[in-house]
Amino acid sequence: MKRIAKRMTLALAVALSWLYRLIPVGALKRLFRVQDDVQLIINERALAFGGGEHPKHRLMRYHDFFVTRIPPGARVLDIGCGYGAVARSVARGVEGAEVTGIDNNPERIREARAADNPANLAFVEGDALVDLPVGDWHTIVLSNVLEHIDLRVEFLRRLRDVLAPAQILVRVPLFERDWQIPMRRELGVGYFSDPTHFIEHTLDEFDAEMAAANLVVVERVTMWGEIWAACRPRVHAER
């Protein structure tokens, strides 16, 4: 009887140890999902607070990263321009610039065209993955665009080869923005900030993709949990 009781005690201890391990896992998964739901509500309320434009544009000042790196008189193509916030900042902030925004969402393009736009800004509806707008573009802006594309290296190569820009300015979410992101991945909980993302880059992944596209990262800033980078085709970077 003592031997049976000892075995039962051991089995119970093992079962409890597994239970104690499972309880925090389940709790974390549930809490992360609640966090996602709350974040959706926060963003919706933030948009309402901003009158339809998210306050992050103003608070993060990431538009300035693009504006201050584009020379006067440049022809600029903003791919995935959405309702045109960044494109408008560039058109107003860069002297003599000619700016075109392109997006495949007709509703966003209607919003962009209906805004108070300067004369040096135009918007076109189209899918840059399929039909790149030809032209002598000095700068291409990709603000929160690459993470929505599956075949990113191939896309970047097409931009480089077909449009031959002097530079590509990129903004993407950073995987290493918070310890909770690798924790979520470890638990099998979604860790993308948007369900339509294919990737949220680590610094190493970002550098590797730019190199594979034959682009040189001449400047890279990590701010607000994001990567902001100025990239040049190798032929331009080596001049």
Side-chain angles (χ1 to χ4, degrees), residues 22-34:
L22 288 172
I23 287 174
V25 169
L28 279 171
K29 287 183 175 181
R30 287 192 295 273
L31 287 169
F32 280 137
R33 293 187 182 108
V34 170

Side-chain angles (χ1 to χ4, degrees), residues 11-63:
L12 180 61
V14 170
L16 285 173
S17 69
W18 276 102
L19 182 60
Y20 288 138
R21 288 179 62 187
L22 288 172
I23 287 174
V25 169
L28 279 171
K29 287 183 175 181
R30 287 192 295 273
L31 287 169
F32 280 137
R33 293 187 182 108
V34 170
Q35 184 183 54
D36 291 341
D37 291 339
V38 172
Q39 192 60 51
L40 283 173
I41 297 170
I42 289 173
N43 278 316
E44 187 275 330
R45 289 293 84 199
L47 275 169
F49 175 79
E53 182 167 306
H54 202 293
K56 68 181 180 181
H57 292 265
R58 170 175 53 85
L59 298 172
M60 293 167 61
R61 299 183 64 85
Y62 65 85
H63 294 203

Side-chain angles (χ1 to χ4, degrees), residues 78-92:
D78 182 5
I79 294 177
C81 65
Y83 54 79
V86 171
R88 269 188 293 277
S89 291
V90 173
R92 290 170 176 156

Side-chain angles (χ1 to χ4, degrees), residues 91-113:
R92 290 170 176 156
V94 180
E95 183 180 357
E98 294 181 29
V99 184
T100 298
I102 181 171
D103 201 283
N104 64 359
N105 186 319
E107 182 178 347
R108 291 291 174 265
I109 289 296
R110 282 195 294 271
E111 291 177 12
R113 288 172 174 164

